[in-house]
Amino acid sequence: MPATLEIACENGDCELDMAELHYTYDMPDDVTVDDFQCPYCRQSDSLREIEP
């Protein structure tokens, strides 16, 4: 099953509290939250991974 990544945006001005990214099998194994930006506020330094 392809990987998923749950992220949270910690930008105080952003309305997004949580999102879940679903990858395909073609996504490289070394992809981390640092490779993405918030889909709402477009910042990347405010994202963190939500640990299960």
Side-chain angles (χ1 to χ4, degrees):
M1 176 143 226
T4 61
L5 178 66
E6 290 183 340
I7 59 170
C9 185
E10 296 183 332
N11 174 0
D13 296 326
C14 184
E15 297 296 323
L16 181 79
D17 65 346
M18 181 263 184
E20 186 172 83
L21 306 173
H22 297 261
Y23 315 160
T24 68
Y25 287 106
D26 297 331
M27 186 72 75
D29 291 334
D30 61 349
V31 170
T32 67
V33 70
D34 296 329
D35 297 307
F36 297 96
Q37 69 180 12
C38 176
Y40 187 81
C41 70
R42 303 288 185 216
Q43 291 188 12
S44 57
D45 60 343
S46 60
L47 289 182
R48 70 169 175 84
E49 182 176 356
I50 298 172
E51 299 292 330

